[in-house]
Amino acid sequence: MTKEIRVNAFVSTSPVHQSPGLWRHPRDTSLAFTDLDHWTDLAQVLERGLIDAVFIADSIGFNDVHGGSVDAAIRYGAQVPKLDPFMAIPAMALVTEHLGFGITGNISYEPPYLFARRLSTLDHLTNGRAGWNIVTGHYESGARAMGQTGVVEHDRRYDIADEFMSLMYALWETSWEDGAVVADSIYVQPEKVHRIKHAGDYFRLDAIHLAEPSPQRTPVLFQAGTSPRGRAFAATHAECVFLSGPTPQTIAPRIADIRRLASLRGRDPADVLIFAMATVIVGATEQEARAKLAEYRRYVSTEAAVVIFSGWTGIDFSKYRLDDPIPYIRKDNAVTSALDVFTVADPDRVWTLRELAEHNAIGGRGPLFVGSPTQVADAIETWIEQTGADGLNLSYAVVPESYADFATYVVPELQRRGRYKRSYAPGVLREKLYGAGRSYLPASHPGGAARTVAFG
Amino acid sequence: MNNAMPREIRLNAFTSQTPVHLSPGLWRHPRDQSRNFKSLRYWTELAQILEEGLFDGVFLADGIGINDVHGGSPDSALRHGAQVPKHDPLLLVSAMAHVTQQLGFGITATLSFEPPSLLARRFTTLDHLTKGRVGWNIVTGYYDSGAKALGRATVTAHDERYEVAEEYMDLVYALWEQSWEEGAVLGDRASGIYAQPEKVHTIHHHGKYFDLDSIHFTPPSPQRTPLLYQAGASRRGRAFAAKHAEAVFVAGPSKRVIAPIVADVRAQAEQFGRNGRDMLFFTLMTVIVGETEAAARAKHEEYQRYVSPEGVLTLFSGWTGTDFSRYPLDAPIVPAEVDSAVASMIESFTVADPGRVWTLRELIAHNGIGGRGPVIVGSPEQVADELLGWIADTDVDGFNLSYAITPESYRDFVEFVVPELQKRGAYKTAYVRGTLREKFTGGGRLLPPSHPAARFRS
C-alpha cells in the first residue's frame, strides 16, 4: 500500500486569496465571503471530496508595500478586508461530520488565556476537529493596529511564540486531569484541577483553565515557518507544516530539514505531516482543463497580482513598469524567498514584472497542475515523490468550483491508485491523521511531554 | 399606559456555556440537558425552540474568571459546576444563526481583556454572518481571578474600569462607524475594483489606555456597531448604560428594586441627549409554568428536589463577596448578627414574608432557582398576569428569561405562555423583518444620531 496523500483546502476570509481578480469570474463566489452560507456550502463541498481539513489563512495587518500604502490592496480586495477566521467554523462543523479545521491564530496579539479557551471551546463544539495554525505578527500595519510601535524582530517573535506555546500546553494539557469532570453527584473533582502559575519573560498567568479538557486537549498544531528560526519552531511544535514553492527542488530540502530537526528533538519525523501548496485545474479531458485555465486567465488582474507580489517580496513594484525586465533584487528582512525561487528556478530567464505577476496569479507561489484526471494524478504523485511531502494545501482558482472539480475528477483517480482515502477515518482530527488512539499529543511532543510530566 | 393595547413584551433567553448558570444542582434533573453545553446540537436545538417562540434573542452570559469567594477557593464552584467551566460564547453564534432566520444574539465579551481591534473584527464578522442579528453585552472584568489569568496583579478599580471602557468604546466606534464609508465596497466585476480606498479611512487613536493606527479589518456589517447591551447596576455602570446601551439587563428579586433603576437609567439617558424610551430594559425572570397552577407547582417542587444548597451559596458568595461557607445551614439567621451584604440579600429575598425567621437552608430552598431574579410559578394566565404586572409596575420592556431546567423551561414557556401573551395582544405574532436593531427600535439598522457613536460617522 503506497502512502495516502493528504489534502487540505487553503482558503481565507477575504475576497482574494491566491488568485487576484478571479472574484470577477461569473462562477466564483468569493464576494459572498461575508455570508454564512458561503462557508457552510464550501464545507460540504470539501467533505464530499474527503478533504482532511480546511486551512484558513489570516494575518493581522495589511499588505501596504505597493505604493507604500494599503490603498492598492483595498482597491483590488487583495487579502483586504479579512474577517475573523474562527467565527464561521461552528456553522461549518454543524453541516459536516469529519472535516477538520486548521484556523490561523496570531500569538503576537491574542491574550493567551482567552485564546486557549477559544480553541478549547471550538474543539468541544466540533467534537475534536479543531486545528490551530500558529503565526506571529509580521506586518507593521498589524502592529500599529494593536497599539504597538513596530513589529517585534523576527527571531524574538519566535522566542515569544515558544513561551506562548508552553503556556498553552500548561492550560490545555495539565490544568485539568483526565477524569476531573465526573458529572455525577458532583460536576468536577476539584483536586484534579490545577492552577497554572506562569511568570516568564513575556507572559504572566495565574489561573486554572476556564474550559474543561476538549476531545484533543491541544488542537492539531499547524505551522508555516520558512525561515531557519521558523523551521526550528515547526520542528518542535508543529504536527502539520504548510509550505510553498514552485518546484520540487525549492521545497524538498526544506521538508528534509524540518524532518531532520524534528528527529533531533526526539520526535518521529513521520509525525510531522507536510502540506505543500498547489492548485489544480482539472476537467474530464486535458483539453477541457486547458480551456478552463484559459478562461480563468481572462479574469486575472495583473495590477492586483503585482500588489500581492509586492507584499510577498517586500519590494514596492509600483515603481516598475509592467513590461520592463526585473533586475535581480534582494531584500533581507521580509519574505525573501518569493523572488529567489523564481530566479533560482529559471536563473537565465529575464522576467518582466507582468510575466512574474501573471505567472503567479493563479494559485500563488505553488505549482499549477492542469490536465485530465490521469495527468493531474500523475503530477501530484510525482510531486509528492520528489518533495517528500505528505500532501497538498490545495488552493483554488475559482471557489468553490476548483474544489468541486477536485472531488469529481481527481479524488476517484487517486482512490483507484490507492493513494487517497475512500472514507474518513473515525475519531478526532488527530486520530484521522495519525490513527486510532492518538487523540492527544504524543509524549515525544513538548505538549504531550508536559502532560506526561504532570500526570505520568 | 393604555390598557386596551398593552406594550409588546420583549424576551431574551438568558443562558451561558456552562453546566450551571443560575439554578445550581438542576443539571442532575433527568430531563435537564445542561451537561450537553459542549455540544453544538444542544445549542442549535435551543435556538430553534426560541425562534419558534418568537424570542427576540438569546443572551449569552460570560465572565473571565472563577467564583472563588465560597471557602476562599474555586473548589466549591468546580464541585458544583457553578459557572465553571465556562466556554467562549462567541463560538456558538454562527451555528445557531445557521438554523434560524430572525433570532437575535446578545453576546457577552469583556472589554478589559480583549484587544479592541480584534474584538471589533470579531463582532463585525458575526454581524455579517448573521445578517445583522448580533448584539454585544459590554462587560468589564470584575473577577480578581480573571485579572490574574490575564497576567495582572488585581482587577482594575471599579471606576477606572469604566474610564477604560469609555475610551475603548470611542475606539471601537471609530472602527465600526468611521473607517469604511457607506458605499466604499463596490465589488464591481466590470472594473475589477473591490473597494474605493479613498472611502476607507485610517483611524488614529492615541489615548490614555489605547493606541491604534489602522483601518478596520473588515467592511461595515449590516448594523456596523452591534446592538449594545449593558448590565451595570452600580452608579458608574448606570451612567455608562445611559450613555451607550440600547438594551439594558437588570436583575433583582422585586419590582421595588427594579423600578427605580429603570427610571434612573432612562432619566440619565435623556441627560446624554438620548430618548430614554429608546432603551429596552430586560429584567431577570424565571418562569415555571404548566397547563394548570397545580401542574406548575408540582413541577416546581420536583425541580426543587435537585437544588444544590452549596452550589447556590457558591453563586451567592460570588455575587455578594461574602463567604457563606462560614455560616451554618440550619441556624436561624439574625440580621443584626450577619454582615451587611448577607443581611441585604436576605432582606431582598424575604419581602414576601418579612416577619419570618429564616435559616440559610430555607432561604436556599426558596431561592435556589433562577439566581437573583424572581421565580413565577403558575398557570399560563397567572404567569401572563404576573409578567404584565412587572411591565406595568417597573417600566421594563421585557424579560431576560432564565431556566430551571433546559431546554424544558423554554419549551414550556413557548407552549403555554407565548399563546396567552399573544391572546392579550402583548406579544408579537411574527418577527419584524430586518436587523436586530430594527427589530428592537423600529428605526434603522444603524445607531441613531443621538447616540455617541454617531459622531464618528463622516
Side-chain angles (χ1 to χ4, degrees):
Chain A
M1 170 75 183
T2 37
K3 211 171 123 198
E4 180 184 334
I5 295 171
R6 300 280 177 186
V7 180
N8 289 332
F10 186 37
V11 302
S12 78
T13 53
S14 181
V16 171
H17 187 209
Q18 303 286 333
S19 299
L22 273 287
W23 59 267
R24 299 176 299 166
H25 189 285
R27 291 194 303 278
D28 185 83
T29 61
S30 294
L31 281 193
F33 75 107
T34 53
D35 292 350
L36 193 51
D37 289 349
H38 174 77
W39 297 102
T40 51
D41 290 351
L42 175 66
Q44 288 172 315
V45 169
L46 299 179
E47 186 152 284
R48 181 167 73 78
L50 304 176
I51 297 293
D52 289 290
V54 54
F55 181 101
I56 306 189
D58 187 34
S59 53
I60 303 300
F62 312 99
N63 177 347
D64 55 6
V65 176
H66 188 272
S69 96
V70 70
D71 286 3
I74 291 174
R75 183 173 299 115
Y76 302 112
Q79 304 179 352
V80 182
K82 265 182 292 240
L83 304 183
D84 183 288
F86 281 80
M87 293 297 114
I89 306 297
M92 296 168 85
L94 189 67
V95 301
T96 56
E97 211 182 318
H98 297 285
L99 182 68
F101 302 97
I103 309 149
T104 300
N106 195 313
I107 62 97
S108 300
Y109 306 127
E110 296 280 0
Y113 190 68
L114 302 184
F115 188 74
R117 183 175 77 141
R118 190 164 298 131
L119 259 309
S120 293
T121 302
L122 194 67
D123 199 45
H124 278 295
L125 295 175
T126 60
N127 291 324
R129 293 191 271 152
W132 168 31
N133 175 38
I134 309 158
V135 300
T136 63
H138 60 92
Y139 280 118
E140 291 293 340
S141 54
R144 289 194 299 272
M146 300 302 299
Q148 300 173 5
T149 46
V151 163
V152 173
E153 177 269 320
H154 178 274
D155 280 11
R156 197 160 72 89
R157 287 211 306 274
Y158 280 100
D159 294 342
I160 297 171
D162 276 326
E163 191 182 322
F164 193 100
M165 293 311 294
S166 68
L167 203 38
M168 293 298 106
Y169 298 144
L171 290 167
W172 284 329
E173 301 286 341
T174 71
S175 183
W176 295 59
E177 293 183 37
D178 282 345
V181 176
V182 288
D184 182 17
S185 60
I186 56 170
Y187 190 74
V188 173
Q189 298 176 272
E191 60 279 14
K192 293 195 172 177
V193 180
H194 309 287
R195 180 181 293 271
I196 305 303
K197 290 187 181 192
H198 177 97
D201 292 335
Y202 305 104
F203 302 102
R204 299 176 69 82
L205 181 151
D206 178 2
I208 67 167
H209 188 33
L210 206 45
E212 64 181 74
S214 66
Q216 303 185 106
R217 287 185 173 268
T218 299
V220 172
L221 299 173
F222 290 69
Q223 211 262 347
T226 8
S227 66
R229 184 64 181 87
R231 270 184 236 174
F233 183 88
T236 306
H237 300 283
E239 301 175 88
C240 297
V241 172
F242 157 55
L243 42 75
S244 58
T247 62
Q249 294 73 31
T250 50
I251 62 171
R254 280 152 58 198
I255 292 174
D257 191 42
I258 289 168
R259 292 204 202 279
R260 181 184 63 82
L261 291 169
S263 188
L264 286 176
R265 284 160 177 74
R267 300 178 66 197
D268 180 346
D271 274 0
V272 183
L273 300 177
I274 313 260
F275 294 81
M277 182 159 96
T279 306
V280 165
I281 294 172
V282 62
T285 62
E286 178 180 357
Q287 198 184 10
E288 210 180 290
R290 300 248 161 240
K292 214 178 273 185
L293 174 62
E295 191 209 350
Y296 291 165
R297 284 216 185 276
R298 289 210 300 277
Y299 292 92
V300 163
S301 161
T302 306
E303 294 84 354
V306 170
V307 172
I308 290 182
F309 203 68
S310 295
W312 286 340
T313 56
I315 297 162
D316 178 4
F317 284 107
S318 70
K319 296 173 183 143
Y320 296 83
R321 280 181 300 188
L322 280 175
D323 294 306
D324 285 350
I326 298 297
Y328 186 80
I329 310 169
R330 185 160 187 98
K331 197 163 181 286
D332 278 318
N333 56 352
V335 186
T336 52
S337 41
L339 201 60
D340 287 354
V341 290
F342 298 106
T343 45
V344 169
D346 201 349
D348 299 327
R349 177 167 169 186
V350 177
W351 294 78
T352 67
L353 179 57
R354 183 191 301 278
E355 286 167 340
L356 259 182
E358 289 180 357
H359 183 79
N360 300 291
I362 292 182
R365 287 171 284 185
L368 189 59
F369 300 136
V370 186
S372 68
T374 319
Q375 290 170 320
V376 168
D378 285 347
I380 292 173
E381 283 196 283
T382 305
W383 177 267
I384 295 287
E385 193 187 321
Q386 292 181 346
T387 58
D390 298 277
L392 305 179
N393 212 19
L394 195 65
S395 189
Y396 58 88
V398 166
V399 71
E401 180 169 288
S402 294
Y403 296 115
D405 284 351
F406 187 83
T408 303
Y409 296 113
V410 184
V411 166
E413 180 59 27
L414 289 173
Q415 285 172 331
R416 205 179 53 74
R417 299 178 185 197
R419 299 300 305 266
Y420 199 77
K421 57 183 155 321
R422 290 183 180 273
S423 62
Y424 283 104
V428 298
L429 180 57
R430 189 169 281 116
E431 287 176 298
K432 290 184 202 307
L433 296 172
Y434 296 106
R438 275 283 291 266
S439 300
Y440 293 169
L441 284 167
S444 56
H445 185 283
R451 188 182 67 250
T452 313
V453 167
F455 307 132
Chain B
M1 190 174 300
N2 186 342
N3 287 329
M5 192 64 185
R7 69 200 233 217
E8 182 186 335
I9 293 184
R10 300 291 187 167
L11 284 181
N12 283 327
F14 185 40
T15 179
S16 72
Q17 211 177 346
T18 61
V20 169
H21 186 210
L22 297 175
S23 301
L26 272 79
W27 60 269
R28 299 171 302 170
H29 188 287
R31 291 194 305 278
D32 184 73
Q33 292 182 30
S34 297
R35 269 174 290 181
N36 296 333
F37 78 94
K38 296 163 279 183
S39 146
L40 271 183
R41 298 279 165 196
Y42 165 76
W43 292 102
T44 54
E45 190 195 339
L46 177 65
Q48 287 170 314
I49 292 168
L50 298 176
E51 185 154 282
E52 188 199 322
L54 305 175
F55 272 60
D56 292 287
V58 54
F59 184 99
L60 286 157
D62 191 27
I64 303 304
I66 289 162
N67 182 339
D68 53 9
V69 176
H70 189 268
S73 90
D75 287 4
S76 177
L78 283 165
R79 196 174 297 118
H80 301 288
Q83 303 186 351
V84 57
K86 191 161 31 181
H87 294 180
D88 188 334
L90 282 161
L91 288 165
L92 298 175
V93 177
S94 70
M96 293 170 91
H98 182 72
V99 300
T100 56
Q101 297 290 319
Q102 305 289 336
L103 186 70
F105 303 96
I107 318 292
T108 302
T110 305
L111 59 71
S112 310
F113 304 138
E114 300 272 4
S117 55
L118 300 185
L119 177 131
R121 181 170 78 145
R122 254 171 224 132
F123 274 96
T124 301
T125 300
L126 284 178
D127 201 47
H128 275 299
L129 297 177
T130 62
K131 299 200 190 300
R133 292 194 271 153
V134 165
W136 170 28
N137 176 36
I138 308 159
V139 303
T140 62
Y142 56 89
Y143 285 113
D144 261 335
S145 54
K148 285 187 188 132
L150 273 289
R152 301 172 197 177
T154 60
V155 86
T156 309
H158 180 272
D159 279 14
E160 192 183 357
R161 284 212 308 274
Y162 278 101
E163 228 180 278
V164 175
E166 286 290 348
E167 190 184 325
Y168 195 102
M169 294 311 292
D170 277 354
L171 190 39
V172 292
Y173 289 151
L175 291 169
W176 283 326
E177 301 287 339
Q178 187 179 5
S179 185
W180 293 65
E181 289 182 38
E182 290 294 313
V185 174
L186 294 178
D188 180 21
R189 288 176 197 255
S191 65
I193 305 294
Y194 174 75
Q196 305 173 79
E198 60 280 13
K199 294 193 173 179
V200 182
H201 309 289
T202 298
I203 304 303
H204 298 284
H205 177 102
H206 296 280
K208 185 170 170 196
Y209 302 102
F210 302 100
D211 291 290
L212 177 147
D213 293 280
S214 182
I215 65 167
H216 188 30
F217 298 134
T218 46
S221 63
Q223 303 184 110
R224 286 185 173 263
T225 298
L227 186 92
L228 299 172
Y229 278 96
Q230 212 262 347
S234 67
R235 179 189 56 78
R236 190 66 186 80
R238 285 189 210 182
F240 185 88
K243 182 174 171 190
H244 298 279
E246 302 174 86
V248 180
F249 165 51
V250 288
S254 66
K255 295 174 184 173
R256 177 163 76 74
V257 174
I258 294 301
I261 301 176
V262 175
D264 178 47
V265 178
R266 287 205 205 273
Q268 285 197 49
E270 303 280 344
Q271 288 164 22
F272 286 106
R274 302 177 64 203
N275 182 348
R277 311 296 328 167
D278 282 353
M279 308 172 77
L280 296 184
F281 285 79
F282 293 83
T283 193
L284 176 62
M285 187 65 72
T286 306
V287 166
I288 297 170
V289 64
E291 214 164 349
T292 61
E293 181 181 350
R297 300 230 163 265
K299 212 178 273 184
H300 187 213
E301 275 163 35
E302 188 207 344
Y303 293 161
Q304 281 182 314
R305 289 207 299 275
Y306 292 91
V307 167
S308 153
E310 201 186 54
V312 174
L313 292 180
T314 302
L315 291 187
F316 279 117
S317 295
W319 291 327
T320 59
T322 297
D323 178 2
F324 281 98
S325 70
R326 294 186 282 127
Y327 298 101
L329 276 176
D330 294 303
I333 303 163
V334 183
E337 292 173 6
V338 293
D339 71 35
S340 59
V342 183
S344 72
M345 187 198 87
I346 289 163
E347 190 198 330
S348 71
F349 283 106
T350 54
V351 274
D353 197 355
R356 179 171 164 182
V357 176
W358 295 78
T359 67
L360 215 42
R361 190 185 299 281
E362 287 166 340
L363 268 178
I364 292 160
H366 281 79
N367 302 289
I369 291 174
R372 285 171 287 184
V375 181
I376 300 175
V377 184
S379 67
E381 296 77 16
Q382 290 169 321
V383 170
D385 286 345
E386 194 59 31
L387 293 178
L388 289 169
W390 267 82
I391 302 270
D393 296 342
T394 64
D395 195 27
V396 297
D397 299 277
F399 303 94
N400 227 11
L401 206 63
S402 186
Y403 56 90
I405 70 173
T406 181
E408 180 170 292
S409 293
Y410 295 114
R411 242 192 229 120
D412 285 350
F413 193 93
V414 171
E415 183 183 346
F416 295 115
V417 185
V418 164
E420 180 62 29
L421 292 174
Q422 286 171 329
K423 210 165 72 188
R424 300 182 188 201
Y427 194 69
K428 59 183 157 318
T429 52
Y431 281 106
V432 170
R433 298 281 142 178
T435 62
L436 185 57
R437 180 167 291 119
E438 289 166 284
K439 287 178 167 69
F440 267 22
T441 65
R445 63 186 171 84
L446 304 179
L447 279 164
S450 57
H451 191 278
R455 75 187 156 89
F456 289 92
R457 275 178 217 144
S458 22

